């Protein structure tokens, strides 16, 4: 059994390959039971959580994502969320690999963003705006620039110095990259806007959106958190990664549904529909599109499968 740390995962899991594998896996489908959640008593101020997410493809692979949430970890300068991914053979159940959970999650989340953009963004999109300066920001830049001809990237965050640190990670890129403190101006000038923030109140205004833009929403993963206002939803053709997940967990979908701004029928499709050709993505050049993701076990499984295949391939040629 292989142990695949984050650095090795990033070195083998290249975005063009991962996006195509994810496209194929959404077309094929997987078996994904509901996530198991357990409270774990602690001696700290807050109880912890244990989250278990199983998924499998018959006779191929079984995956189990194991995540812990310890809210008091900040006092020890540790992330609150920890985790690993266990991949097993689908025919025998033999464990194949233990993979760095946070690294896998970041990689597959950015790949899903790029996959959605392949259907929803204009083919000639050249200007990317990344909203947020967390761990996902560099992954989103890498995913989108690796899968389409992006010429300019802007990074916005509440603290300009953090945006500049993200920019400094990209040396001699094939695209121009800068930090900005003008969110409205950056939104108005972008072709693709991807948001990965901890915002609880909308920071993207529908009044700022221009015809033909694609808005990608990754934060706001709880029913009471949002990144985009109602006007964004009103003006756009709306897609999600999975209908069930987005309609139950994503504030950017849950709240408009609750308030009558959006109906279930207004959600044009999900990644299953798009990859299978069952629903059209962008229908005309000037259309505004929105994609809301909350993540799904399918994405974890296909990323883990590809990572193990690439690691074993590299081992065989050494």
């Amino acid at each position: 059994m292989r142990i695949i740390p984050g650095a090795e995962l990033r070195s083998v899991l290249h975005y063009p390959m991962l996006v195509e594998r994810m496209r194929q896996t959404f077309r094929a489908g997987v078996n994904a039971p509901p996530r198991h959640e357990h409270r774990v008593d602690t001696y700290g101020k807050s109880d912890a959580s244990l989250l278990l997410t199983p998924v499998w493809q018959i006779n191929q692979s079984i995956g189990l994502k194991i995540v812990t949430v310890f809210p008091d970890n900040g006092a020890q300068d540790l992330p609150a969320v920890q985790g690993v991914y266990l991949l097993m053979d689908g025919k025998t159940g033999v464990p194949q690999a233990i993979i760095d959970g946070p690294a896998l999650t970041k990689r597959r989340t950015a790949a899903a963003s790029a996959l959605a953009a392949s259907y929803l963004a204009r083919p000639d999109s050249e200007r990317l705006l990344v909203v947020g300066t967390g761990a996902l920001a560099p992954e989103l830049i890498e995913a989108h620039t690796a899968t389409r001809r992006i010429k300019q990237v802007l990074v916005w965050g509440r603290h300009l110095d953090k945006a500049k640190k993200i920019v400094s990670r990209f040396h001699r890129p094939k695209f121009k990259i800068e930090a900005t403190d003008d969110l409205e101006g950056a939104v108005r000038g972008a072709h693709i806007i991807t948001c990965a923030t901890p915002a609880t109140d909308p920071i993207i205004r529908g009044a700022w959106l221009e015809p033909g833009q694609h808005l990608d929403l990754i934060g706001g993963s709880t029913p009471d958190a949002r990144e985009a206002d109602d006007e964004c939803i009103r003006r756009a053709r709306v897609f999600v990664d999975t209908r069930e997940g987005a309609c139950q967990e994503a504030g950017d979908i849950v709240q408009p549904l609750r308030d009558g701004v959006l109906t279930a029928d207004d959600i044009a499709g999900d990644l299953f529909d798009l990859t299978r050709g069952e629903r059209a993505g962008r229908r005309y050049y000037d259309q505004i599109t929105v994609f809301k993701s909350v993540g799904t076990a399918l994405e974890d499984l296909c990323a883990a499968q590809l990572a193990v295949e690439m690691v074993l391939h590299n081992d065989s040629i050494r």
Side-chain angles (χ1 to χ4, degrees):
M1 182 175 65
R2 288 296 303 265
I3 295 177
I4 305 177
E8 185 175 14
L9 181 79
R10 288 187 291 272
S11 71
V12 299
L13 212 49
H14 303 298
Y15 277 112
M17 294 176 63
L18 177 55
V19 169
E20 289 309 310
R21 173 61 69 89
M22 194 171 289
R23 195 189 313 273
Q24 295 166 15
T25 307
F26 268 103
R27 284 175 183 161
V30 299
N31 293 286
R35 182 177 65 187
H36 301 261
E37 299 187 19
H38 303 276
R39 190 184 74 179
V40 178
D41 297 330
T42 71
Y43 291 109
K45 294 180 180 179
S46 306
D47 288 334
S49 299
L50 173 64
L51 312 177
L52 306 173
T53 307
V55 60
W56 62 87
Q57 286 182 306
I58 297 173
N59 284 339
Q60 295 186 48
S61 299
I62 302 169
L64 180 63
K65 192 173 187 176
I66 306 167
V67 174
T68 59
V69 183
F70 278 72
D72 297 339
N73 273 6
Q76 303 178 58
D77 199 28
L78 291 172
V81 179
Q82 305 279 349
V84 297
Y85 197 86
L86 175 62
L87 187 71
M88 294 160 278
D89 185 275
K91 294 181 179 179
T92 65
V94 173
Q96 295 178 312
I98 294 176
I99 304 170
D100 182 305
L104 184 75
T105 301
K106 288 184 288 187
R107 209 72 173 172
R108 60 83 157 159
T109 301
S113 173
L115 174 61
S118 73
Y119 296 98
L120 303 179
R122 288 187 337 214
D124 61 351
S125 296
E126 296 179 342
R127 298 194 296 271
L128 172 70
L129 169 63
V130 177
V131 180
T133 55
L136 262 175
E139 300 285 347
L140 290 165
I141 295 169
E142 186 179 345
H144 284 278
T145 58
T147 53
R148 66 172 57 239
R149 294 180 179 177
I150 297 294
K151 294 183 178 179
Q152 181 182 26
V153 178
L154 288 178
V155 182
W156 179 90
R158 294 189 186 277
H159 302 284
L160 184 60
D161 60 327
K162 292 184 178 180
K164 289 180 177 178
K165 286 182 180 178
I166 298 294
V167 170
S168 70
R169 296 178 62 169
F170 292 85
H171 303 289
R172 298 181 184 176
K174 296 179 180 179
F175 49 88
K176 183 179 179 181
I177 182 168
E178 297 176 296
T180 181
D181 59 0
D182 179 8
L183 180 57
E184 179 179 349
V187 168
R188 291 183 182 277
H191 295 145
I192 298 172
I193 305 149
T194 180
C195 304
T197 73
T200 54
D201 296 314
I203 56 175
I204 304 297
R205 305 294 172 184
W208 301 346
L209 297 180
E210 301 288 337
Q213 288 181 318
H214 172 56
L215 175 60
D216 177 49
L217 304 172
I218 298 170
S221 56
T222 61
D224 58 351
R226 294 190 68 173
E227 293 185 302
D229 68 5
D230 285 345
E231 190 64 15
C232 290
I233 302 301
R234 288 192 185 97
R235 296 187 63 193
R237 182 166 164 85
V238 177
F239 290 83
V240 296
D241 54 355
T242 66
R243 289 179 182 269
E244 183 178 5
C247 291
Q248 293 181 2
E249 301 176 31
D252 285 296
I253 300 298
V254 171
Q255 294 181 37
L257 285 173
R258 180 197 64 199
D259 298 336
V261 174
L262 183 73
T263 69
D265 289 340
D266 290 330
I267 299 174
D270 59 19
L271 285 177
F272 294 104
D273 298 322
L274 288 170
T275 57
R276 295 169 182 175
E278 295 173 355
R279 296 303 299 269
R282 171 173 294 277
R283 293 187 295 184
Y284 54 89
Y285 189 79
D286 287 343
Q287 188 169 47
I288 296 171
T289 55
V290 163
F291 175 68
K292 175 60 197 171
S293 66
V294 292
T296 169
L298 178 153
E299 296 164 1
D300 294 308
L301 181 65
C302 76
Q305 289 172 323
L306 182 58
V308 170
E309 289 172 18
M310 295 306 298
V311 166
L312 295 178
H313 173 74
N314 289 348
D315 286 348
S316 68
I317 61 177
R318 285 174 183 164

